[in-house]
Amino acid sequence: MSNVAVVGAQWGDEGKGKIVDWLAARADVVVRFQGGHNAGHTLVVGEETYKLSLLPSGVVRGQLSIIGNGVVVDPWALLAEITQLQSQGVTVTPEQLLLSDSAVLILPLHQRLDGIREGQRGDRKLGTTGRGIGPAYEDKAGRRAVRVCDLTDHDVLKQKIADLLAHHNAYLRGVGEDEESSDALLAKLQQVAPLILPFAGRSWARLDDMRRRGRRILFEGAQAAMLDIDHGTYPFVTSSNTVAGQAATGSGIGPTAIGYVLGIAKAYTTRVGTGPFPTELDDEIGTLLGERGHEFGTVTGRKRRCGWFDAVMVRQAIKVGGVSGIALTKLDVLDGLEEIKVCVGYSLNGEKLDYLPANPAAQAAVQPVYETVEGWSESTRGARSWAQLPANAIKYIRRIEELIAAPVGMVSTSPEREDTILVQDPFAD
């Protein structure tokens, strides 16, 4: 059977948690392959709501869940999340959860650095969550990071910390901040080590075994294509690659193991934090979308900016991410609107563009070119088949397919897991 990678096709917050949860019920293993606990997935299962940041969505359903080598892991946040789930009746054991021993650790130092750097940027803030994800990835690229496997060897860990602080304390001295204590950091890591090491292991070997046995693997991404460090609205991006190619690298499995890439896109567009947003609405429609869609960040609680569906951006995300099909979410938020606009192009200094340019100044300056479609008065909430959708809602979906040059394989009509219209089965051969 085909293995599936799920990625965001906008700026994140597209409803990946619900879709991954729906697919996880049909998978044997769910893998997180990048990001950190800056990403939030909300799962609604019956009367219970689960908020996940690090743990793969499959853990709620009892599937084998793997945190891959491409994820940066705050061990204290991981333990807190496990404790929270257990308080909600979800069992999390080393038999169910596997943490890659190659994963990089987020340290308290990283969160501190994140805050200092954002503060120094003044009105040029990048809008990070302040959770240390960026500095941890920097240390990974700089080959000075502390990894999960380092917790097993006292001497190695002590040397790693010395090398790490030799670098960062020089910066802290330069900006007039107190230096970090190597002894204090070593003590914290030695204290947390026995709590997370039971979950650690060779995730790549377990995945290879699952693949060879024909098990279904679901790769779960965080953030989205337009936040990708290479392909997004740089520098207002996250610190990792978010497109489907990273699913292989960040999990330790070959790219040929991924058979279907499912991109998630809302029926409108949102963005949290700073950065360009061509279709943003600073009017009553934008407010309405935010209120109806409950557009507040799962992790930070920050209010999301809202705007019309940007077909240009999603089409670009599909091309750079190798997306096979789209899951369209939150269609019900558009119920009752007389007219709905879709961005079909951009205008920049009188020139028409069919792509989002890479230059930050150009990204900020582009103006959306809209096409107006007729809305629908009927409710789509809870629809589970095409027959339950208003004719104009179906027309809207078909028009989106034409504009993004990809099929809509799934439609989500509420946060409830079963309120989903399946058009194309991602797990089919």
Side-chain angles (χ1 to χ4, degrees):
M1 301 298 288
S2 174
N3 298 321
V4 178
V6 178
V7 295
Q10 293 164 315
W11 276 299
D13 311 309
E14 300 96 347
K16 291 186 291 297
K18 179 256 178 85
I19 299 299
V20 169
D21 179 49
W22 192 93
L23 291 169
R26 308 181 62 223
D28 298 297
V29 55
V30 183
V31 189
R32 268 287 306 274
F33 60 83
Q34 50 77 221
H37 64 308
N38 55 339
H41 290 175
T42 301
L43 281 64
V44 179
V45 182
E47 298 297 318
E48 196 75 50
T49 298
Y50 303 97
K51 295 184 182 294
L52 306 179
S53 295
L54 267 175
L55 292 172
S57 299
V59 75
V60 172
R61 298 283 175 185
Q63 279 89 350
L64 173 63
S65 298
I66 296 177
I67 299 175
N69 54 275
V71 180
V72 287
V73 179
D74 182 324
W76 298 276
L78 176 60
L79 292 171
E81 195 169 321
I82 291 173
T83 300
Q84 175 59 39
L85 278 187
Q86 289 175 333
S87 73
Q88 294 180 270
V90 178
T91 302
V92 183
T93 67
E95 287 69 39
Q96 297 167 303
L97 176 65
L98 176 58
L99 169 63
S100 171
D101 56 7
S102 298
V104 164
L105 295 178
I106 298 174
L107 309 175
L109 165 66
H110 293 133
Q111 297 180 29
R112 185 181 171 206
L113 290 169
D114 215 348
I116 292 172
R117 291 174 183 174
E118 275 288 85
Q120 288 180 327
R121 291 188 180 104
D123 59 2
R124 296 181 296 106
K125 286 182 171 62
L126 297 178
T128 75
T129 58
R131 302 202 167 203
I133 282 81
Y137 272 117
E138 287 180 34
D139 282 340
K140 179 179 181 178
R143 295 169 292 185
R144 54 180 174 266
V146 176
R147 302 192 299 171
V148 173
C149 57
D150 298 328
L151 298 178
T152 64
D153 189 311
H154 175 271
D155 292 335
V156 168
L157 182 60
K158 188 174 182 179
Q159 185 60 55
K160 283 287 192 76
I161 290 173
D163 293 342
L164 183 73
L165 295 189
H167 174 82
H168 288 300
N169 278 338
Y171 167 77
L172 291 171
R173 287 194 300 272
V175 296
E177 297 283 346
D178 292 337
E179 295 184 27
E180 288 284 317
S181 165
S182 58
D183 290 340
L185 180 54
L186 179 61
K188 288 179 181 178
L189 288 174
Q190 287 179 323
Q191 184 179 41
V192 79
L195 300 177
I196 68 165
L197 283 177
F199 297 99
R202 296 177 298 134
S203 56
W204 61 268
R206 188 70 177 274
L207 275 174
D208 181 65
D209 177 64
M210 298 290 281
R211 180 186 63 82
R212 290 178 180 276
R213 291 162 55 195
R215 299 295 188 260
R216 288 174 168 173
I217 304 172
L218 181 62
F219 300 90
E220 177 184 5
Q223 292 92 31
M226 288 297 111
L227 292 174
D228 185 280
I229 195 165
D230 285 304
H231 302 290
T233 49
Y234 190 91
F236 302 99
V237 293
T238 194
S239 300
S240 60
N241 289 112
T242 61
V243 294
Q246 178 64 19
T249 305
S251 302
I253 200 167
T256 55
I258 303 169
Y260 191 98
V261 179
L262 182 66
I264 316 296
K266 282 176 181 167
Y268 52 103
T269 310
T270 64
R271 177 165 199 167
V272 67
T274 52
F277 187 170
T279 65
E280 183 173 11
L281 296 171
D282 293 316
D283 57 14
E284 65 277 6
I285 297 294
T287 301
L288 178 68
L289 294 176
E291 291 175 349
R292 284 188 179 179
H294 306 290
E295 297 297 351
F296 295 91
T298 300
V299 171
T300 63
R302 290 186 294 179
K303 183 179 179 180
R304 297 174 187 141
R305 301 150 66 190
C306 298
W308 296 118
F309 186 86
D310 190 335
V312 182
M313 183 181 73
V314 174
R315 184 173 64 242
Q316 188 163 320
I318 287 169
K319 291 181 183 296
V320 301
V323 172
S324 310
I326 286 289
L328 192 68
T329 66
K330 292 198 170 184
L331 182 68
D332 56 302
V333 173
L334 301 180
D335 291 351
L337 295 179
E338 293 184 7
E339 291 184 341
I340 300 170
K341 292 183 178 181
V342 181
C343 177
V344 297
Y346 301 130
S347 175
L348 179 63
N349 300 324
E351 179 185 0
K352 299 296 182 184
L353 301 179
D354 62 357
Y355 63 92
L356 185 63
N359 182 277
Q363 289 177 352
V366 295
Q367 295 297 314
V369 176
Y370 287 119
E371 176 179 297
T372 302
V373 299
E374 189 177 351
W376 53 90
S377 57
E378 307 95 321
S379 173
T380 63
R381 187 174 180 84
R384 299 183 181 182
S385 70
W386 284 115
Q388 295 176 309
L389 290 180
N392 282 346
I394 295 175
K395 289 180 181 177
Y396 178 67
I397 295 169
R398 295 305 186 201
R399 183 55 180 148
I400 284 177
E401 288 182 316
E402 294 173 352
L403 292 169
I404 65 176
V408 172
M410 300 174 70
V411 181
S412 172
T413 57
S414 93
E416 296 293 334
R417 180 172 170 265
E418 298 304 325
D419 291 342
T420 305
I421 301 171
L422 179 64
V423 184
Q424 185 180 48
D425 187 354
F427 275 119
D429 283 326

